[in-house]
Amino acid sequence: MQRFGLLLACALTSLAAHATAPAAAATPAETTPTEAQRMQWFADAKFGIFIHFGIYAVDGIDESWSFYDGYVSYDHYMQQLKGFTAANYHPQAWADLIRASGARYAVLTTKHHDGVALWDTAQGLNVVKDTPAKRDLVGPFVQALRKDGVKVGLYFSLIDWSYPDYPGFTKTESRYDAKADPARWNRFVKYYQGQLKDLSQRYNPDLYWFDGDWEHSAEEWHAKQVREMLLARNPMAIINSRLAGYGDYATPEQGVPITPPPQKYWELCMTMNNSWGWQPNDHHFKSADQLIRILADTISMGGNLLLDIGPRADGTIPGQEVDTLKEIGRWTHKSAEAIYGTQAGIPRDYYAGASTLSKDGSTLYLFLDGRPNGPVLVKGLMNRVLHARVVGNGTTLDTQVVGKPYWSQVPGLLYITVPPATLDPEVTVLALTLDGPVRLFHDEVKPIESN
C-alpha cells in the first residue's frame, strides 16, 4: 500500500505538471525552396570559370575523345596515368585567380568520360591510387573556393568508357547492349550513383554540371531519382540541363547564341582557345578583348558565360590564360554594377550593341565597343533620362533628344556624347538613370493627323 501510494502521488504530480505547462510550439515543417530562390545566385552571377583538369594534360591531347574516336589507342591514352603528378597544384592560387577574374562560380571536372576521378573513389580509376598525384584534388579546391566566397560547381560525366559494366567503349566497339543485359546495366547505375552520392556527401557542391547524357535515356539513367537524391542532400543545389531533361538551366556550347535561348536560365560554356584541356599545340586563343565582348553579349541576352581554362598535368595554369583572366578581371571589377545582378537588356533594334538592365529596370547599361565616330544612339526610349555617366569613372555625359516634337507620342532619338578620354581599352559601359522602369516604343509610326 505504501508503494502504491507513492506511485499514485507521482502520477498525480505528473498530471498536474502537464496540466499547467504551456503547450510546446510546433516545429515548423521544412519548406522546399522555389525555383527562383534556388536559381537566384546563378542568375546574378553572370560569369564562371570551367576547369578541365585530368590525365589528358600529360600528352596534351583531347580529353577522353582521343581514344574514343580512335586517334590513339585506349592503352596509349591510359599510359598518361603514369605522368599525372599535380606536383605544382596549388588550389588556393587557382581560387584566388578565379576570384580576381570576377567569376562568381567555378566548375571542376571531377571525372571525365575516361572514368579517371580526381578524388579517391571507392570503385573505378582515380588519381589518388592510380597516378603519382596520390591525393584528392577536389576537396582542397572546394575549400579554397569557399574561402574566397566563390560558389562551387562539380562536373561529373555520367558515361564512363573505362568501367567494365558500362556498355560504350569506343566509336567502333561496345561491351554489350544495355537493353539485352539489364542486370549488368543496373550494376553500372549503382556504381555511378554511388560516386555521385560520395561527391554530394563529401563536398556538397552548389552546382552539379553533368555531361554525357546523350548515350542513354532519362529512364535508363534513373535521372529523376538522381535529381531527388541530390536535392535531398542539398535542396538549394542547382543542376545543369545535361541530366536527360532533369536539370535547371540550358547549356549551349562554344557558339554565342544569335538570339536568346527559350529557357529562362542558361549558360554558354566556351573554351579560351579551341580545346577544353591543355593542348600545347593549340595557339588559337581568344584575346581578352574578344572574351569581354562575348561576356557582354551573353549577359545582354540574360545568360551566363562559363569560360574554360586547361591546367597542365603538374597543376600549373598556362601564363597566357592567367594574363587573360587578370585582364578580364580588370574590366569586370570596373564594370561590376552593369554585370552582376542585372537582367537582359533592350533589343538591338533600339541600341546597336549589348546592354543590360538593373534588377528594377530603371538603369540601362550600354556596352560600347571600340571608339565611336560620334554620339551614341538609342532609339525608341520612352523614358526621360535623369542622368548619364560612364561606369567605373563617374564622368557625367551630355545627352540630347532629337526629333521629338512636344505634341508627338513617338519618342525622339537619344544621343549620348562620350569624350574619348573616358573610353575603356576594351569595352566602355554607359549607365542611363531613367525616370522609372524602362519603357520602349512599339507602336507603328503613323501620318500626322493633328498637332
Side-chain angles (χ1 to χ4, degrees):
M1 289 297 293
Q2 185 179 12
R3 185 175 180 183
F4 175 76
L6 182 61
L7 289 172
L8 180 61
C10 290
L12 290 171
T13 303
S14 177
L15 285 171
H18 280 84
T20 57
T27 303
E30 292 188 10
T31 57
T32 302
T34 65
E35 179 189 59
Q37 289 172 330
R38 284 194 309 110
M39 298 300 295
Q40 191 61 61
W41 74 258
F42 179 83
D44 289 343
K46 303 303 178 185
F47 183 39
I49 297 298
F50 215 171
I51 305 121
H52 274 67
F53 188 38
I55 66 168
Y56 37 87
V58 173
D59 291 343
I61 57 178
D62 288 341
E63 70 295 340
S64 307
W65 293 100
S66 51
F67 77 78
Y68 181 85
D69 288 331
Y71 300 153
V72 299
S73 69
Y74 177 76
D75 289 341
H76 179 99
Y77 181 92
M78 298 310 292
Q79 285 295 315
Q80 294 177 104
L81 287 166
K82 299 176 181 178
F84 188 76
T85 66
N88 295 305
Y89 169 60
H90 301 295
Q92 191 60 59
W94 281 21
D96 292 348
L97 176 63
I98 289 166
R99 182 181 61 179
S101 76
R104 296 291 175 91
Y105 64 107
V107 178
L108 174 67
T109 52
T110 66
K111 188 194 75 169
H112 208 269
H113 312 327
D114 58 15
V116 182
L118 297 189
W119 84 102
D120 53 331
T121 54
Q123 298 181 71
L125 299 165
N126 69 65
V127 299
V128 181
K129 67 179 180 63
D130 297 307
T131 76
K134 297 299 179 191
R135 57 175 170 149
D136 172 16
L137 304 179
V138 178
F141 183 56
V142 169
Q143 293 174 3
L145 288 177
R146 290 195 167 128
K147 180 181 176 183
D148 282 356
V150 179
K151 292 288 188 179
V152 174
L154 298 182
Y155 168 109
F156 182 86
S157 171
L158 294 166
I159 60 181
D160 187 331
W161 289 326
S162 288
Y163 199 69
D165 282 328
Y166 187 73
F169 181 44
T170 70
K171 184 183 289 187
T172 58
E173 300 175 69
S174 61
R175 296 183 178 94
Y176 69 98
D177 182 346
K179 290 182 173 61
D181 194 346
R184 190 174 180 185
W185 170 252
N186 286 331
R187 285 200 301 270
F188 174 75
V189 170
K190 183 178 179 181
Y191 156 74
Y192 100 77
Q193 288 186 351
Q195 287 189 326
L196 271 178
K197 185 176 181 180
D198 191 27
L199 278 176
S200 173
Q201 292 177 341
R202 288 189 191 218
Y203 312 119
N204 192 26
D206 303 293
L207 185 153
Y208 292 90
W209 214 101
F210 287 103
D211 202 7
D213 64 347
W214 63 83
E215 290 202 347
H216 296 276
S217 67
E219 292 74 22
E220 289 174 319
W221 286 123
H222 297 205
K224 182 175 183 291
Q225 293 89 333
V226 167
R227 179 181 177 86
E228 290 171 349
M229 175 184 74
L230 299 178
L231 293 183
R233 172 68 175 84
N234 179 3
M236 293 297 289
I238 293 172
I239 299 170
N240 79 332
S241 63
R242 303 185 189 189
L243 185 60
Y246 282 88
D248 298 307
Y249 68 90
T251 54
E253 186 168 335
Q254 294 288 39
V256 181
I258 304 302
T259 57
Q263 293 84 358
K264 183 177 181 180
Y265 305 103
W266 62 276
E267 169 194 80
L268 168 66
C269 55
M270 173 173 280
T271 54
M272 272 201 187
N273 49 10
N274 291 331
S275 307
W276 288 108
W278 179 70
Q279 293 198 24
N281 298 316
D282 182 355
H283 304 294
H284 302 285
F285 281 92
K286 304 169 187 71
S287 68
D289 178 73
Q290 290 169 333
L291 290 168
I292 288 169
R293 292 181 186 212
I294 289 169
L295 174 58
D297 276 348
T298 302
I299 65 176
S300 77
M301 292 184 280
N304 289 12
L305 175 64
L306 185 64
L307 180 65
D308 187 67
I309 59 175
R312 301 182 183 91
D314 67 352
T316 56
I317 300 172
Q320 185 168 358
E321 297 185 2
V322 172
D323 293 342
T324 297
L325 289 183
K326 288 180 177 179
E327 179 58 21
I328 293 173
R330 178 203 67 79
W331 184 81
T332 54
H333 284 85
K334 176 183 178 181
S335 311
E337 67 172 275
I339 302 170
Y340 310 110
T342 60
Q343 55 180 314
I346 61 177
R348 297 200 179 213
D349 290 340
Y350 296 88
Y351 169 65
S355 64
T356 58
L357 284 162
S358 60
K359 201 163 282 189
D360 65 2
S362 65
T363 302
L364 173 61
Y365 298 101
L366 307 176
F367 296 84
L368 180 61
D369 290 349
R371 305 178 70 84
N373 293 324
V376 175
L377 171 63
V378 179
K379 300 184 292 183
L381 183 64
M382 301 288 287
N383 301 78
R384 185 164 56 93
V385 176
L386 303 179
H387 186 231
R389 60 187 166 86
V390 178
V391 172
N393 67 32
T395 301
T396 295
L397 303 174
D398 290 333
T399 62
Q400 180 186 17
V401 177
V402 174
K404 169 62 176 167
Y406 73 90
W407 43 262
S408 175
Q409 297 301 311
V410 180
L413 304 175
L414 173 67
Y415 286 101
I416 309 154
T417 301
V418 185
T422 66
L423 296 174
D424 186 87
E426 270 75 41
V427 175
T428 306
V429 186
L430 313 182
L432 306 183
T433 303
L434 309 178
D435 61 355
V438 68
R439 291 177 292 115
L440 301 175
F441 183 79
H442 298 289
D443 296 337
E444 179 185 355
V445 178
K446 300 176 181 179
I448 297 173
E449 296 178 354
S450 172
N451 62 0

